[in-house]
Amino acid sequence: MIEKKKINQPVFPFTAIVGQEEMKLALQLNVIDPKIGGVMIMGDRGTGKSTTIRAIADLLPEIEVIKDDPFNSSPEDNPNSEIAKIKTPMIDLPLGATEDRVCGTIDIEKALTDGVKAFEPGLLAKANRGILYVDEVNLLDDHLVDILLDSAASGINTVEREGISIRHPARFVLVGSGNPEEGELRPQLLDRFGMHAVIKTVKDPKLRVKVVEERTLFDADPQFWISKYNDEQENLKNRIVEARKLISKVKISDDFKLKISQVCSELDVDGLRGDIVTNRASKAYAAFQKRQEVTFEDIEKVITLCLRHRLRKDPLETIDSGDKVQKVFEKIFDK
């Protein structure tokens, strides 16, 4: 039997991606603080959604894991274990995936006959401490979307079969993407994504030419093109690492917290997720800017990404949901 060699395909550098600032910012903030709750990216076909998501995963530093551990567990969980370094996991969830493929399976026969919990890990186990990417998430079965969101929120995956239960860590950044022409997610599922980025096709002819040129040059000589961006990639990677360390020290004033909640209230946002995510994202952005105090500008930068998908849909409304968030923000914050 011929053993297939895994080919590592070159990944387009994150810092070489032109435009699409909303999507790039949302991804950066989620890898700085995964508790923001992931990001839903909606946009036209051919706008570089998949390229950008793979690029942010490739940019991230390696992580230390317990060698041969199926869940990428941290050495801190078992200090006496042998340590290995791996790239930050980036797992693609195929559209036709079954619940067993996603969550993992328990071999009931082995469990009953041998008395051991024979567990075959699924994609959630492989994605632990990394990124789980679901393209066309709006076409995925609602039940599976629910499972993904539950695991992303709790950091735990539980598999139960015939009275046997297995739990394992499943802490990952959930990234979903889709084309609005193919339908939206149900509002109650959409609300559970921390941020929502809207991606549009670039209209400026000069910018379009630049995008085409960058991609053509990358395809012609990937390694040379990647080496051109080495310094920028390294600088951004260091900024993300430093922001992760700094974020626990970042403070947000009571006045800003109150105003964020006033914006959510005026926009009639259900529940408190909008308030919580906006606070978290503002802190992550402040940390990314190497500051320990959240400013007005930090909140302004993230609030639309955090709230636009939580607004109730009104078919008669003419104003875009993002513009509506911005308008109420400016009113409450006296801009």
Side-chain angles (χ1 to χ4, degrees):
M1 188 175 175
I2 299 169
E3 189 182 332
K4 286 184 182 176
K5 286 187 179 177
K6 193 175 179 183
I7 299 167
N8 286 325
Q9 284 190 316
V11 177
F12 195 81
F14 188 82
T15 51
I17 292 167
V18 178
Q20 309 302 15
E21 299 307 321
E22 264 200 13
M23 168 167 56
K24 282 153 63 176
L25 177 62
L27 290 170
Q28 287 171 123
L29 296 182
N30 270 275
V31 297
I32 288 168
D33 181 5
K35 288 183 180 174
I36 285 171
V39 55
M40 179 69 188
I41 301 164
M42 291 300 274
D44 307 329
R45 286 182 291 272
T47 45
K49 296 187 291 289
S50 301
T51 299
T52 308
I53 294 153
R54 288 188 174 82
I56 190 79
D58 188 64
L59 174 78
L60 297 176
E62 290 184 326
I63 58 170
E64 286 191 343
V65 297
I66 295 171
K67 194 174 181 186
D68 300 325
D69 182 89
F71 310 115
N72 308 321
S73 299
S74 168
E76 291 173 9
D77 300 338
N78 184 355
N80 299 320
S81 57
E82 194 178 342
I83 297 171
K85 277 194 168 186
I86 63 166
K87 281 185 74 67
T88 296
M90 159 74 191
I91 303 299
D92 275 293
L93 191 144
L95 202 54
T98 61
E99 186 177 338
D100 282 351
R101 173 91 190 276
V102 174
C103 299
T105 55
I106 299 171
D107 188 332
I108 300 296
E109 192 178 335
K110 195 169 183 180
L112 295 174
T113 55
D114 300 346
V116 293
K117 290 183 178 178
F119 179 59
E120 182 65 40
L123 296 176
L124 294 182
K126 291 178 182 173
N128 187 36
R129 300 177 65 207
I131 295 172
L132 181 64
Y133 173 46
V134 191
D135 191 14
E136 298 187 76
V137 68
N138 46 335
L139 301 182
L140 199 65
D141 181 72
D142 279 354
H143 172 60
L144 270 183
V145 178
D146 241 343
I147 289 170
L148 295 177
L149 289 162
D150 279 342
S151 294
S154 67
I156 299 286
N157 174 41
T158 304
V159 184
E160 292 179 337
R161 299 285 185 276
E162 310 292 336
I164 297 169
S165 179
I166 286 177
R167 285 157 64 89
H168 70 77
R171 296 184 299 274
F172 52 84
V173 175
L174 179 62
V175 182
S177 69
N179 182 348
E181 289 176 6
E182 290 159 351
E184 287 274 3
L185 269 183
R186 283 193 292 120
Q188 51 269 55
L189 291 176
L190 193 56
D191 170 67
R192 292 178 62 189
F193 277 90
M195 303 180 100
H196 186 284
V198 176
I199 307 305
K200 294 184 170 69
T201 304
V202 176
K203 300 294 183 194
D204 182 351
K206 288 181 181 175
L207 210 51
R208 288 173 79 110
V209 168
K210 191 177 180 189
V211 172
V212 172
E213 282 178 349
E214 296 261 328
R215 187 73 220 193
T216 306
L217 291 166
F218 171 78
D219 290 340
D221 192 345
Q223 293 311 326
F224 171 74
W225 199 244
I226 288 167
S227 68
K228 254 186 77 174
Y229 284 89
N230 272 350
D231 288 348
E232 286 180 52
Q233 290 280 100
E234 202 57 36
N235 287 341
L236 182 54
K237 183 192 291 184
N238 291 337
R239 274 187 76 186
I240 288 170
V241 169
E242 290 305 312
R244 283 174 168 177
K245 291 176 188 170
L246 184 62
I247 195 164
S248 61
K249 297 174 185 170
V250 178
K251 307 289 181 209
I252 180 166
S253 71
D254 289 343
D255 180 50
F256 280 161
K257 286 178 189 173
L258 182 63
K259 283 181 174 173
I260 287 168
S261 290
Q262 283 178 306
V263 172
C264 293
S265 178
E266 182 141 341
L267 287 167
D268 207 14
V269 171
D270 289 331
L272 294 173
R273 275 202 191 98
D275 310 51
I276 293 165
V277 171
T278 306
N279 276 272
R280 277 197 175 281
S282 302
K283 286 182 175 182
Y285 188 74
F288 190 50
Q289 302 302 319
K290 304 177 183 177
R291 283 188 273 96
Q292 292 187 28
E293 186 76 36
V294 170
T295 65
F296 165 87
E297 287 76 20
D298 299 331
I299 300 167
E300 183 178 36
K301 197 79 179 173
V302 304
I303 197 163
T304 300
L305 285 165
C306 298
L307 298 183
R308 64 148 62 96
H309 56 303
R310 305 179 199 279
L311 273 53
R312 292 179 184 178
K313 293 278 188 289
D314 180 353
L316 301 176
E317 189 79 74
T318 53
I319 185 169
D320 174 77
S321 58
D323 292 339
K324 194 173 179 182
V325 172
Q326 193 62 32
K327 204 171 176 182
V328 173
F329 166 79
E330 287 173 6
K331 175 186 160 189
I332 301 289
F333 277 77
D334 298 323
K335 190 182 175 188

